[in-house]
Amino acid sequence: MPGQDQLDLFGGAPTPVAAPARGPVTAAPQPPELARLAAQLPDELRLGTSSWAFPGWADIVYDRAYPQQRLSRAGLRAYAAHPLLRAVGIDRSYYAPLAAAEFAAYAAEVPAEFRFLVKAHEACTIAVYPRHAHYGALRGQPNPRFLDPAYATEQVIGPTIEGLGDRLGPLLFQFSPSDVEALGGPRWFAERLHGFLSALPRGPLYAVELRNRELLTGAYRDALASTGVCHCINVYPGMPNPMQQFERAHHDQAPALVSRWMLHPRMTWEQAEQGYAPFDRIIDADEERRADLVRLCLRGEQLGLPMHFIVNNNAEGSSPLTIVELARRIVTARAGDALPAGSPTS
């Protein structure tokens, strides 16, 4: 597969040295350029990655190669020391609800201005359980917790708010690719979603992410607008490009701008996981998607919106390095030196 190696931002990096069995996880030293970039980004923009436990980020985020389990438990403080990483996604909460104490432990590791994007438990957003062995006897069965506001409030929202407090950023309801007819069609989905969002506790910043473009309708847009909820603009195969999503969801009426760059358009999830591991360099630089997100950022800044941009390793090969490249382009565009193709207001 043709690829493009990331330019060596840190000079001739030595072969990572295995971390000792105990002791803190230490941040990698960062070049002064990254602090300068961070100072020139919009104040309301928070960039971050999907999770932080990747041993391949040695000499990029961490000072050496640490075991994944150790990074998961003890790497967040070092991650948050990176000048461009002011947010992170918590993905594990999608697979099982987390207790308030677990969220509180995360919050204690990061500065006050840092924010977490938290994925709600999948039971909130799966209408019919997939026919996958993971779901056991539930495979193919209707899910009684689908869009149940009582379950979401008790098991997801309450513990998240209690644990993270003001470090909570967007609380995301992700709807994975589904049979739209199994959802009752776009109109029924929008009506059911409106009822669900209307019944949730007020206060948190809620966001909804779709993976079926057929669901991105006027009724869906109205359901979000009437409840003060954001559409999460996701870069994912089959979805409209970011600026099209921005316009269709009427983000000029939204409380914030939330975006997740998840997957390279030529890759499946499995292909990216195998081809990009250990996520230590950019394999497939995607200038088109970078330019889309720069335009999105400029538009969000014009509107004065808080912005949360999350990048996955599977977007280009290494999400921290993608964020460096994205930050460079945002700073250049803000200076007016080389605006990306297309008007930022279009």
Side-chain angles (χ1 to χ4, degrees):
M1 178 179 61
Q4 177 179 334
D5 288 355
Q6 171 67 19
L7 293 176
D8 186 5
L9 181 65
F10 306 100
T15 301
V17 177
R22 299 184 182 277
V25 172
T26 305
Q30 301 296 338
E33 179 207 3
L34 298 194
R36 291 194 296 268
L37 280 176
Q40 296 175 78
L41 291 171
D43 290 339
E44 290 296 319
L45 174 64
R46 287 182 170 85
L47 299 170
T49 68
S50 293
S51 193
W52 61 90
F54 299 100
W57 291 359
D59 298 314
I60 299 172
V61 175
Y62 308 111
D63 68 329
R64 63 189 72 189
Y66 295 89
Q68 184 172 22
Q69 187 177 42
R70 185 159 169 216
L71 290 174
S72 180
R73 293 178 176 175
L76 187 54
R77 186 181 296 269
Y79 169 96
H82 190 290
L84 292 175
L85 301 179
R86 300 177 60 213
V88 76
I90 297 181
D91 291 343
R92 59 185 286 250
S93 52
Y94 180 74
Y95 303 101
L98 302 187
E102 294 178 272
F103 285 123
Y106 289 149
E109 294 297 301
V110 299
E113 67 275 8
F114 191 94
R115 294 293 179 270
F116 294 90
L117 180 148
V118 177
K119 290 173 67 172
H121 184 213
E122 63 178 348
C124 298
T125 55
I126 293 178
V128 177
Y129 286 106
R131 295 185 179 278
H132 188 283
H134 167 75
Y135 295 98
L138 296 175
R139 287 179 293 178
Q141 299 299 311
N143 171 23
R145 293 173 174 169
F146 176 65
L147 292 179
D148 178 355
Y151 176 79
T153 298
E154 179 181 346
Q155 297 296 322
V156 175
I157 299 167
T160 304
I161 294 173
E162 180 183 348
L164 292 181
D166 58 9
R167 288 171 176 79
L168 173 61
L171 205 165
L172 181 76
F173 295 96
Q174 175 193 305
F175 292 84
S176 295
S178 304
D179 179 350
V180 173
E181 293 309 312
L183 295 173
R187 169 62 67 174
W188 183 89
F189 170 77
E191 292 176 355
R192 181 80 181 269
L193 179 66
H194 179 268
F196 171 74
L197 297 175
S198 299
L200 298 183
R202 296 299 91 193
L205 172 62
Y206 299 117
V208 174
E209 179 176 308
L210 304 178
R211 300 282 178 87
N212 289 82
R213 65 188 302 146
E214 309 96 302
L215 298 177
L216 189 56
T217 63
Y220 167 78
R221 175 199 65 209
D222 294 342
L224 300 191
S226 66
T227 53
V229 174
C230 297
H231 167 68
C232 176
I233 296 173
N234 59 325
V235 180
Y236 192 84
M239 288 296 292
N241 73 45
M243 288 308 297
Q244 288 175 330
Q245 292 185 51
F246 179 93
E247 297 297 345
R248 290 190 194 181
H250 281 199
H251 265 82
D252 55 345
Q253 303 174 15
L257 184 56
V258 180
S259 180
R260 297 208 307 151
W261 185 2
M262 303 309 298
L263 184 61
H264 194 281
R266 295 199 306 269
M267 307 289 271
T268 66
W269 200 262
E270 292 75 17
Q271 288 170 336
E273 288 284 319
Q274 294 174 11
Y276 292 164
F279 313 116
D280 58 350
R281 61 195 176 104
I282 290 178
I283 304 292
D284 287 314
D286 189 346
E287 290 295 345
E288 182 177 350
R289 251 53 60 178
R290 292 176 184 179
D292 284 341
L293 292 179
V294 171
R295 287 194 288 270
L296 194 64
C297 177
L298 296 180
R299 189 71 178 103
E301 185 179 16
Q302 283 185 341
L303 293 170
L305 296 175
M307 294 180 282
H308 306 264
F309 283 20
I310 298 294
V311 180
N312 194 282
N313 282 325
N314 290 346
E316 295 186 321
S318 178
S319 50
L321 295 178
T322 292
I323 284 173
V324 171
E325 294 302 324
L326 188 58
R328 285 175 175 155
R329 284 156 179 76
I330 291 171
V331 167
T332 298
R334 292 183 82 220
D337 296 333
L339 287 171
S343 167
T345 61
S346 64

